[in-house]
Amino acid sequence: MLGDVPGPGVPATGASVPGAPIPVPAVPDRPARLAPYGLRCEHRTEPMGLGAPAPLLSWRLASRQAGDDPVAYQVDVTDLTRPGTSVWSTGRVEDAASVGVRYAGPALRPRTRYGWHVTVWAQDGTRGSAESWFETGHDTWTASWITHDPSRVEPVDPPTRGEQALDDHGLLACPRLRHAFSAPVPARARLYVSARGLYEARLNGERVGDAELAPGWTDYRSRIQYQVYDVTALVRDGENVLAATVADGWWSGFVGFAPRRAGQHYGPFPEFVAELHLSYDDGSTRVVATGPAWRTARGPIRYADLLKGECHDARLETPGWDRPGFDDSAWLPATVAGDDHSSLVASRDEPVRAFERLAPRSVTRLAPGVHLVDFGQNIAGRVRLAVPALPEGRRVSVRHGETLEGPTPHGDPRIGDRLHIANLRTADATDVFISAGRAEVFEPRFTYHGFRYAEVTGLDELGDVHAVVLHSDIPWAGRFACSDPDITRLHANIGWGQRGNFVSVPTDCPQRDERLGWLADAQVFLPTACLNADVAAFFAKWLDDVSDAQSPEGGFSNVAPLLTGVADEGAPGWADAGVLVPWHLYRVYGDPAFLDVEAMARWVGFVHRNNPDLIWRHRVGPHFADWLSPGPPTPRPLIGTAYFQRSAALTARAARVVGRDGDADHLDALAAGIRQAFVKEFVDAGGRVAGDTQTGYLLALAFDLLPEEAVAPAADRLAELVAASGLQTGFLGVSLLCPVLSAHGHDDLAHALLGRTGPPSWLHQVRSGATTVWERWDGVGAPSMNSFNHYALGSVGEWLYSGVAGIGQAPTSTAYRELVVRPSPGDLDWAEASYESVRGTVGVRWERSPEGFRLDATIPPGATATVHLPGGTTRRVTSGDHSFTLVRGETA
Ligand code: BGC
């Protein structure tokens, strides 16, 4: 469809269209002397409903004084439901630990809030302290799963008769469930709640919590997360109503690209489970649970689906349905769907939440009643639209698209002003509102779309309209800017790609009928993701999905969560993420709990069993090669064997971390054998790597597969290839490209690639108006595979921090204990970055001026750094703020 014209929405002129800035929280003011801040429990701030029996308690440190390092800490845990009750104390421990102290006191009680207090001491005896809390989850469920049995759904309501048929995609209306009960006001009330599907719970007419798309996506056959809300303020004296709307979501809606009807992946229709625990000062408790006494009816949402969109028929609204006093005698008794709670687990991460609302950048009237809204930024989320009083039954529809296409009769034919929707494939991404004659605000609740543009049909005048940004709540941790605005914009685009694709699971893209947790995309992007945001809890949860998807034979899958119809396993570089991701998380966050060595070793054993000669020739699943590489193909067995070696070597290191030295020795020997086999099979005496492709050299160098004497020739050959042909890597090679060039003395080439503006390159996308990172280097390709929000190629983000700005970690360091500050200025005048590491704030700013070069670095307490200045000078520094200047002539 696109032929040889630029991709949809790509101005032929190359004019840059900046997107929205990412709202980054301010770096906290530092105290004069050593003090903890940013207290986390299981990598979350004040988590509600913790499942871990021995949670990890961690804190960051700050001080304005150089060398103000911790020498000791003490953690005290108290039971806040029994004021004054001490539960556990570490006592003063002569250790600098701040990145993780595991609770080792008596068994934690369920449904209990614990306070914890940390004190840290500096060498001169100064101390600082801070406190936080966590609340444990539920243990013994008594509630039944309840549902609205669709076989009892009556035909559509009278107002819809005689109207143009609504394409409901075969989806069912979203049921509502309600239960009235009487209770005195409690001292404390908690709602434990989940769904097979999505839920929105309400108590006495108020929405409970701010989670979106809860309970999130897992392989529901193994695990369903529940959430916990403090609803004390919502319970009132006398009659109360606990209510919910449930929707298909990932459970029974359309998911992925498999040509499956809704309801064929996990279950046929949504179910709901909830327990409201009311606690009174006299020690008594009362539990209100889902069961046969609940009532149910279809609500005004005629269908809601993640891919298809949502239809809200305001005429079917029954005001007051979620409040006391509503007559539900016409409602049906809820159907009890079962009492099996074995799959219910406490959420490990923060939910999806709604973040900022973007105002339109422009609104264009395309035709009477048809408006095109440009929000200026490609996001995942939905449109919030003020709908005036319209004739009853009038439909307003909102279609979404990432880009525009042309030529069209309207406006600039180079850009076009029609939504480009072909790349959504079967994801209709259309929300519909049907008016009841009243003015209302329409914002769908149980869907999301990947879009920058929205086409609104059915309104003569377009009033208040916003795009609501949705994603998993991952605390933003990184900032980056440099003297080249295009590179700064690239960094922002990478961040927006992360925001749009971290929606309960790390997805490949948020727009088309895919949105799957592809493992390679996640592993190549992970180092960047970890610098942009604190993703420890997000990935801890996803690693459960990865583990649930591992086959009994040890094969890691290619997507997680698994779903029927898309289940496969074992692609090199994809399934290996089951090893690479936990290892990287361990290095960044310092928590050995990420390392499920058993599972990692089973994966390595699985590949080994299928490839006993140590060359990964025999497929254990599909092979996606160096996906979407614009260059010549890298031999598949080479890619496989490189990853096989990497997985074996990292599993060995992981085994050593957790004290399994015997396993580590065995895996080290295997890794050494694979390395030998790799060299024998793929490397010639002059250091040439089979296939002679960039990705071949990158894998060999990055994974340390080459004998000493072959390293320099291989790096030189890589440099020659890059100099001759520019960027020639796909998903697997791209994340290694700039770091490997830098590590082998080719900063100049890494910068040349970064600065390129013709395709294929990162800045070609930026110059073409991209506000996220595209799936394809040039944005041109069959629409069925042309996502404009695919983060894999944005994996260069890691090098922006570590290479350009210079915030890196020494190869043997974990949790940023030993930093490497090695900026690579290229032709830039200045760059700056900061990163809220697990230990505290790291910052680097450097600037070139006619006088010379100046670098300022902030190293958090407890860390040390080696600072490499241009020209070869190296300095070792401790924590604190440090400035270095080189007068002109000293720089290289
Ligand atoms: C996805 C990719 C993914 C790939 C596997 C694609 O459809 O969008 O990002 O990794 O399939 O080859």
Side-chain angles (χ1 to χ4, degrees):
M1 187 205 108
L2 298 171
D4 53 2
V5 301
V10 180
T13 55
S16 187
V17 183
I22 292 185
V24 184
V27 175
D29 278 345
R30 285 178 299 163
R33 290 300 311 273
L34 187 68
Y37 74 100
L39 277 58
R40 278 131 27 245
C41 172
E42 284 295 292
H43 307 288
R44 295 164 70 189
T45 303
E46 299 177 347
M48 283 288 281
L50 202 68
L56 184 80
L57 305 171
S58 48
W59 53 93
R60 298 189 169 95
L61 291 170
S63 171
R64 286 203 299 274
Q65 182 170 303
D68 208 5
D69 296 319
V71 294
Y73 71 86
Q74 175 165 332
V75 171
D76 294 288
V77 178
T78 52
D79 182 340
L80 294 180
T81 61
R82 302 168 181 182
T85 317
S86 168
V87 176
W88 182 62
S89 173
T90 59
R92 180 176 155 132
V93 180
E94 303 304 312
D95 189 298
S98 68
V99 299
V101 172
R102 219 161 254 293
Y103 174 81
L108 296 169
R109 294 187 303 123
R111 303 179 300 278
T112 304
R113 183 169 292 196
Y114 291 91
W116 65 283
H117 184 274
V118 56
T119 306
V120 291
W121 283 269
Q123 202 145 27
D124 64 359
T126 318
R127 63 179 176 181
S129 59
E131 58 189 16
S132 183
W133 57 262
F134 61 86
E135 190 168 314
T136 52
H138 196 18
D139 56 348
T140 326
W141 288 79
T142 55
S144 300
W145 290 94
I146 56 169
T147 190
H148 178 105
D149 182 346
S151 63
R152 294 188 298 164
V153 169
E154 63 276 30
V156 285
D157 286 341
T160 61
R161 269 194 216 129
E163 288 181 4
Q164 177 201 346
L166 182 75
D167 178 7
D168 60 9
H169 314 283
L171 294 157
L172 299 171
C174 293
R176 282 173 163 176
L177 299 139
R178 79 186 297 276
H179 179 63
F181 62 95
S182 199
V185 172
R188 181 176 177 274
R190 294 290 185 270
L191 183 65
Y192 303 88
V193 56
S194 189
R196 292 180 169 135
L198 306 177
Y199 72 84
E200 183 186 284
R202 303 184 75 83
L203 189 50
N204 296 326
E206 301 290 330
R207 179 174 172 193
V208 173
D210 60 359
E212 301 284 349
L213 309 177
W217 187 11
T218 49
D219 182 341
Y220 302 111
R221 297 165 296 186
S222 318
R223 196 184 296 264
I224 304 175
Q225 305 183 108
Y226 67 86
Q227 283 76 39
V228 183
Y229 303 99
D230 179 352
V231 290
T232 312
L234 300 182
V235 185
R236 56 186 224 180
D237 203 26
E239 193 188 339
N240 287 268
V241 169
L242 180 58
T245 303
V246 289
D248 289 313
W250 294 281
W251 163 262
S252 47
F254 288 91
V255 189
F257 49 70
R260 303 203 141 237
R261 275 185 293 111
Q264 290 192 340
H265 282 296
Y266 300 106
F269 43 83
E271 298 169 14
F272 180 65
V273 69
E275 281 184 26
L276 175 65
H277 285 237
L278 308 173
S279 314
Y280 295 89
D281 280 335
D282 63 2
S284 63
T285 54
R286 158 121 201 253
V287 178
V288 177
T290 44
W294 283 57
R295 312 282 295 170
T296 179
R298 288 178 312 139
I301 300 180
R302 290 175 63 179
Y303 61 83
D305 182 78
L306 294 169
L307 299 181
K308 302 293 182 190
E310 183 167 318
C311 172
H312 185 96
D313 190 337
R315 297 168 302 178
L316 304 178
E317 187 53 275
T318 47
W321 71 279
D322 52 358
R323 293 177 187 277
F326 178 80
D327 176 9
D328 63 13
S329 55
W331 288 34
L332 300 166
T335 303
V336 171
D339 291 312
D340 180 5
H341 308 113
S342 57
S343 49
L344 282 170
V345 296
S347 280
R348 289 191 75 170
D349 66 341
E350 292 299 311
V352 174
R353 293 197 161 97
F355 292 86
E356 66 269 36
R357 291 180 187 167
L358 303 179
R361 174 149 305 174
S362 68
V363 176
T364 313
R365 193 163 181 267
L366 298 180
V370 185
H371 293 88
L372 180 74
V373 188
D374 175 5
F375 292 104
Q377 176 61 54
N378 200 10
I379 63 160
R382 53 205 182 202
V383 169
R384 182 180 167 87
L385 177 68
V387 183
L390 298 170
E392 198 177 320
R394 169 85 73 85
R395 287 183 194 173
V396 176
S397 65
V398 185
R399 295 198 306 155
H400 303 76
E402 292 185 292
T403 57
L404 303 179
E405 66 184 23
T408 77
H410 318 286
D412 184 344
R414 290 171 309 162
I415 304 174
D417 58 7
R418 286 180 312 188
L419 276 187
H420 176 67
I421 54 166
N423 73 335
L424 307 183
R425 304 195 304 218
T426 67
D428 293 68
T430 302
D431 299 324
V432 179
F433 176 83
I434 305 177
S435 177
R438 312 178 280 269
E440 284 184 57
V441 172
F442 171 50
E443 181 185 339
R445 306 236 54 95
F446 299 110
T447 189
Y448 78 97
H449 313 291
F451 68 102
R452 167 175 166 170
Y453 301 91
E455 186 197 86
V456 182
T457 303
L459 292 177
D460 299 335
E461 300 291 333
L462 199 59
D464 209 17
V465 59
H466 285 89
V468 181
V469 176
L470 289 189
H471 54 83
S472 286
D473 193 350
I474 41 172
W476 216 247
R479 48 178 85 219
F480 170 91
C482 70
S483 53
D484 183 333
D486 284 340
I487 297 175
T488 305
R489 182 64 231 171
L490 168 66
H491 176 261
N493 289 1
I494 292 168
W496 275 108
Q498 178 164 348
R499 299 180 80 193
N501 279 297
F502 280 37
V503 179
S504 187
V505 308
T507 61
D508 54 341
C509 52
Q511 74 299 90
R512 67 182 178 221
D513 57 355
E514 187 146 1
R515 311 183 191 187
L516 299 174
W518 286 101
L519 268 72
D521 304 45
Q523 69 95 350
V524 301
F525 189 67
L526 181 69
T528 301
C530 290
L531 286 158
N532 278 336
D534 181 349
V535 293
F538 177 81
F539 274 103
K541 177 266 173 192
W542 188 63
L543 284 181
D544 283 342
D545 301 330
V546 170
S547 144
D548 289 343
Q550 190 172 20
S551 73
E553 294 74 34
F556 280 126
S557 59
N558 301 326
V559 296
L562 266 192
L563 58 164
T564 44
V566 191
D568 57 27
E569 62 181 6
W574 269 252
D576 293 286
V579 172
L580 276 67
V581 169
W583 177 255
H584 189 79
L585 293 170
Y586 165 68
R587 283 207 60 216
V588 170
Y589 299 110
D591 180 2
F594 285 117
L595 304 174
D596 182 351
V597 174
E598 193 69 44
M600 294 156 91
R602 287 203 298 123
W603 162 246
V604 174
F606 174 67
V607 180
H608 189 190
R609 275 199 307 284
N610 284 281
N611 295 282
D613 70 350
L614 307 186
I615 299 296
W616 187 346
R617 251 187 274 273
H618 303 291
R619 287 182 176 203
V620 292
H623 202 311
F624 301 120
D626 187 19
W627 186 247
L628 297 185
S629 166
T634 303
R636 292 177 173 218
L638 182 154
I639 294 176
T641 308
Y643 269 102
F644 180 22
Q645 200 280 346
R646 185 70 171 159
S647 284
L650 293 184
T651 305
R653 289 170 76 177
R656 239 173 263 293
V657 170
V658 301
R660 291 172 55 158
D661 286 347
D663 292 334
D665 290 344
H666 163 76
L667 286 155
D668 269 336
L670 176 64
I674 306 169
R675 192 170 182 266
Q676 250 175 15
F678 180 92
V679 173
K680 193 163 162 235
E681 184 81 13
F682 303 116
V683 185
D684 76 11
R688 284 281 167 125
V689 171
D692 201 30
T693 66
Q694 292 182 12
T695 293
Y697 289 103
L698 288 167
L699 292 170
L701 290 163
F703 295 172
D704 188 22
L705 298 174
L706 299 176
E708 183 83 40
E709 64 281 7
V711 170
D716 289 347
R717 180 61 189 154
L718 169 69
E720 267 172 36
L721 292 172
V722 169
S725 338
L727 257 165
Q728 298 271 282
T729 55
F731 281 21
L732 296 183
V734 66
S735 63
L736 309 174
L737 191 52
C738 290
V740 168
L741 286 169
S742 264
H744 292 276
H746 296 292
D747 272 339
D748 53 337
L749 280 174
H751 272 282
L753 289 180
L754 182 64
R756 260 177 88 107
T757 52
S761 73
W762 294 285
L763 294 194
H764 169 67
Q765 299 188 351
V766 171
R767 291 277 183 98
S768 303
T771 60
T772 39
V773 174
W774 299 344
E775 178 175 30
R776 293 177 182 273
W777 282 113
D778 52 8
V780 178
S784 59
M785 274 292 295
N786 202 7
S787 145
F788 291 87
N789 195 356
H790 229 81
Y791 53 56
L793 299 182
S795 55
V796 70
E798 188 275 337
W799 190 73
L800 297 181
Y801 288 96
S802 70
V804 177
I807 295 180
Q809 184 174 200
T812 52
S813 160
T814 51
Y816 287 84
R817 172 74 187 77
E818 290 169 61
L819 289 151
V820 175
V821 177
R822 187 189 347 235
S824 160
D827 289 334
L828 298 170
D829 296 328
W830 60 268
E832 63 186 7
S834 73
Y835 171 53
E836 201 56 12
S837 81
V838 69
R839 197 172 288 279
T841 308
V842 186
V844 173
R845 182 187 158 83
W846 59 259
E847 185 166 4
R848 261 205 292 239
S849 68
E851 290 74 46
F853 182 88
R854 179 190 163 112
L855 182 145
D856 297 295
T858 298
I859 309 301
T864 57
T866 307
V867 180
H868 299 260
L869 298 167
T873 319
T874 299
R875 303 273 165 73
R876 293 270 307 155
V877 296
T878 57
S879 65
D881 296 339
H882 305 277
S883 291
F884 307 89
T885 46
L886 293 174
V887 291
R888 202 170 176 74
E890 278 185 286
T891 49

PDB file of all heavy atoms in Angstrom, residues 47 523 618 628 723 855 891:
ATOM      1  N   PRO A  47       3.855  -1.043  49.468  1.00  0.00           N
ATOM      2  CA  PRO A  47       2.952  -1.951  48.743  1.00  0.00           C
ATOM      3  C   PRO A  47       1.786  -2.425  49.609  1.00  0.00           C
ATOM      4  O   PRO A  47       1.952  -2.726  50.785  1.00  0.00           O
ATOM      5  CB  PRO A  47       3.859  -3.127  48.376  1.00  0.00           C
ATOM      6  CG  PRO A  47       4.942  -3.109  49.405  1.00  0.00           C
ATOM      7  CD  PRO A  47       5.144  -1.653  49.782  1.00  0.00           C
ATOM      8  N   GLN A 523      14.283  -8.477  26.238  1.00  0.00           N
ATOM      9  CA  GLN A 523      15.675  -8.606  26.680  1.00  0.00           C
ATOM     10  C   GLN A 523      16.598  -7.574  26.038  1.00  0.00           C
ATOM     11  O   GLN A 523      17.485  -7.049  26.690  1.00  0.00           O
ATOM     12  CB  GLN A 523      16.210 -10.050  26.555  1.00  0.00           C
ATOM     13  CG  GLN A 523      16.435 -10.616  25.160  1.00  0.00           C
ATOM     14  CD  GLN A 523      17.868 -10.468  24.635  1.00  0.00           C
ATOM     15  OE1 GLN A 523      18.672  -9.768  25.235  1.00  0.00           O
ATOM     16  NE2 GLN A 523      18.165 -11.110  23.525  1.00  0.00           N
ATOM     17  N   HIS A 618      19.932 -27.664  15.816  1.00  0.00           N
ATOM     18  CA  HIS A 618      18.624 -28.315  15.832  1.00  0.00           C
ATOM     19  C   HIS A 618      17.639 -27.434  16.555  1.00  0.00           C
ATOM     20  O   HIS A 618      17.788 -27.151  17.736  1.00  0.00           O
ATOM     21  CB  HIS A 618      18.733 -29.681  16.505  1.00  0.00           C
ATOM     22  CG  HIS A 618      19.732 -30.538  15.823  1.00  0.00           C
ATOM     23  ND1 HIS A 618      19.515 -31.039  14.565  1.00  0.00           N
ATOM     24  CD2 HIS A 618      20.975 -30.921  16.184  1.00  0.00           C
ATOM     25  CE1 HIS A 618      20.575 -31.716  14.186  1.00  0.00           C
ATOM     26  NE2 HIS A 618      21.483 -31.660  15.146  1.00  0.00           N
ATOM     27  N   LEU A 628      14.166  -8.501  11.393  1.00  0.00           N
ATOM     28  CA  LEU A 628      14.032  -7.248  10.649  1.00  0.00           C
ATOM     29  C   LEU A 628      15.358  -6.559  10.366  1.00  0.00           C
ATOM     30  O   LEU A 628      15.418  -5.331  10.258  1.00  0.00           O
ATOM     31  CB  LEU A 628      13.070  -6.282  11.378  1.00  0.00           C
ATOM     32  CG  LEU A 628      11.624  -6.761  11.512  1.00  0.00           C
ATOM     33  CD1 LEU A 628      10.754  -5.676  12.146  1.00  0.00           C
ATOM     34  CD2 LEU A 628      11.037  -7.158  10.163  1.00  0.00           C
ATOM     35  N   ALA A 723      31.539   1.177   8.807  1.00  0.00           N
ATOM     36  CA  ALA A 723      31.973   2.352   8.035  1.00  0.00           C
ATOM     37  C   ALA A 723      31.472   2.240   6.593  1.00  0.00           C
ATOM     38  O   ALA A 723      31.057   3.231   5.994  1.00  0.00           O
ATOM     39  CB  ALA A 723      33.487   2.467   8.075  1.00  0.00           C
ATOM     40  N   LEU A 855      33.777  18.205  33.456  1.00  0.00           N
ATOM     41  CA  LEU A 855      32.850  17.117  33.779  1.00  0.00           C
ATOM     42  C   LEU A 855      32.477  17.206  35.255  1.00  0.00           C
ATOM     43  O   LEU A 855      33.349  17.377  36.111  1.00  0.00           O
ATOM     44  CB  LEU A 855      33.501  15.759  33.493  1.00  0.00           C
ATOM     45  CG  LEU A 855      32.628  14.526  33.729  1.00  0.00           C
ATOM     46  CD1 LEU A 855      32.939  13.443  32.708  1.00  0.00           C
ATOM     47  CD2 LEU A 855      32.808  13.928  35.130  1.00  0.00           C
ATOM     48  N   THR A 891      42.710  17.621  26.118  1.00  0.00           N
ATOM     49  CA  THR A 891      41.717  16.711  25.569  1.00  0.00           C
ATOM     50  C   THR A 891      42.269  16.045  24.313  1.00  0.00           C
ATOM     51  O   THR A 891      43.170  16.569  23.680  1.00  0.00           O
ATOM     52  CB  THR A 891      40.431  17.467  25.188  1.00  0.00           C
ATOM     53  OG1 THR A 891      40.823  18.588  24.431  1.00  0.00           O
ATOM     54  CG2 THR A 891      39.667  17.904  26.379  1.00  0.00           C
TER      55      THR A 891
END
